[in-house]
Amino acid sequence: KVYGLFQDIDEQKTTQDELEKLALIAKKTSNLIVICNEYRKVVWVNDSFEKLTGYTLKEVLGKAPKDILQGEESDKQVLQFVKQKLDAREPVKFEIINYRKNGEKYWLDIDIQPVFNNDGSLKYFIAIEIDITERKNAEHLLKDNFTLIQNANNRFQM
């Protein structure tokens, strides 16, 4: 009976060590991580979220990310698509313009995964978000330059 007790303690210690490692990774990754409850209210964000958005966990706790981060230029069709996927408790991946606390815009590539309890009930939505602002700015610059070149070529051909 004593051997079984030590075995249980060893398994608990291993599980606790694994959880601590995962928590450290989630806290320190450069990707933004947002965990929301089944009602889509924030229960946890990592350091990268706080650094990029300017919001602390305390400021966003219990709030819907969309109510804090989205604004005038956030694509309404994308947001409707995301809502439909989350209503269906399905994973969704998308790109969107968000806004920092200071009002500055930034682009994110977001992957949201639902997490279920053993009984199949929804427990969390976990969003892993990558800042793609530099890429989007470069794409817009290339597009603008291409348009300028096309316009110049059209003028010379007339």
Side-chain angles (χ1 to χ4, degrees):
K1 202 160 195 173
V2 172
Y3 172 76
L5 178 62
F6 284 124
Q7 189 176 8
D8 287 347
I9 291 171
D10 283 346
E11 286 175 15
Q12 286 178 347
K13 178 77 172 124
T14 301
T15 301
Q16 184 175 350
D17 288 347
E18 291 300 311
L19 288 173
E20 286 173 9
K21 287 178 197 169
L22 289 172
L24 182 63
I25 291 167
K27 187 169 175 54
K28 296 300 180 186
T29 183
S30 61
N31 293 336
L32 288 71
I33 298 179
V34 180
I35 300 176
C36 293
N37 62 20
E38 69 272 26
Y39 306 109
R40 301 180 203 155
K41 306 294 185 198
V42 173
V43 296
W44 187 82
V45 297
N46 69 346
D47 294 348
S48 294
F49 174 93
E50 292 183 343
K51 183 178 175 185
L52 181 68
T53 67
Y55 290 102
T56 64
L57 171 59
K58 189 175 182 181
E59 291 174 297
V60 298
L61 195 64
K63 297 179 179 160
K66 68 179 182 67
D67 294 339
I68 304 162
L69 302 172
Q70 271 114 44
E72 182 179 318
E73 291 184 47
S74 301
D75 189 320
K76 306 301 182 241
Q77 288 180 316
V78 169
L79 294 173
Q80 185 57 39
F81 171 73
V82 171
K83 182 182 180 324
Q84 289 171 354
K85 291 297 239 179
L86 298 181
D87 285 348
R89 303 173 3 159
E90 296 175 357
V92 63
K93 188 169 172 47
F94 59 100
E95 294 179 354
I96 193 106
I97 290 177
N98 274 356
Y99 293 83
R100 291 181 170 91
K101 186 176 180 178
N102 68 8
E104 189 178 329
K105 291 184 288 190
Y106 63 97
W107 277 92
L108 286 177
D109 178 302
I110 302 176
D111 185 352
I112 302 176
Q113 297 290 326
V115 177
F116 301 95
N117 288 314
N118 290 337
D119 65 3
S121 60
L122 182 63
K123 185 170 185 172
Y124 298 116
F125 287 102
I126 298 179
I128 299 181
E129 308 176 354
I130 301 169
D131 181 3
I132 58 168
T133 305
E134 285 184 30
R135 187 191 91 203
K136 285 294 196 176
N137 288 342
E139 286 174 4
H140 286 115
L141 187 61
L142 283 171
K143 184 179 174 189
D144 291 345
N145 286 340
F146 182 74
T147 302
L148 286 173
I149 291 168
Q150 273 188 321
N151 290 340
N153 283 340
N154 290 340
R155 273 187 246 129
F156 287 121
Q157 291 174 0
M158 291 182 171

